Amino acid sequence: MEKKRISEIIFRSTNLKRFISLFVVSIIIIVIVTMFSTTFFSYSREGFSEISLLQYNQAESLYEAARQPYILYKNFNSTTYFMIKNFENKVTYYQLQIKITKLSQAVNSETPLATTECYLMYLNHTYEKILFPATKQEKQEINAFTGSYIWSPTNVTLYFSSQFESLLLGENGVKIVFEIWRFNTQAEEFSYSGIFAFMELFVIG
């Protein structure tokens, strides 16, 4: 009888050790899988949008980074270009809003500028376009200006007007801001992405 009890105790002890070992191994596996997925898979889901402000160099027949600051000549039209690339890893419906503000006005990624009348826009101050996501190979392209993931350089004509002159109010320059908005399918409206670019415009002449 005593031997039987001892055998049962040994048997239970062995099973307990196996259970504890399996439990520990399971925890280790779960931790490893979680770390792996966080390190590798979440990174692949990350994405961003890129905006560039350009000017066209007629002598070289190419687009290049826009001058900063941008010089406007009084009573003469000028042209600048914007370009957007979709690295969001998904089809994205973009809206670009262009706004004019004082040079002293701060611009940030948290809050968009209040909607203002665009005194410089020749056609309109809002543009919209759907872009497909860039492929792995396209993400490595540097000087690409066309493609399904690229909002090709789009011209914005800046013209000098009496309204713009009154906006200056004694100053010699303003700030033109390009804000990227993305369509939110849940809210069914465009929301500010926090991505922007701006140019300081100075008037001479």
Side-chain angles (χ1 to χ4, degrees), residues 16-26:
L16 180 61
K17 288 180 180 179
R18 288 177 180 174
F19 175 79
I20 292 174
S21 299
L22 288 173
F23 179 80
V24 172
V25 170
S26 299

Side-chain angles (χ1 to χ4, degrees), residues 108-110 180 182 191-196:
N108 61 72
S109 59
E110 300 297 326
I180 292 181
R182 292 187 293 240
S191 59
Y192 180 46
S193 69
I195 302 169
F196 65 89

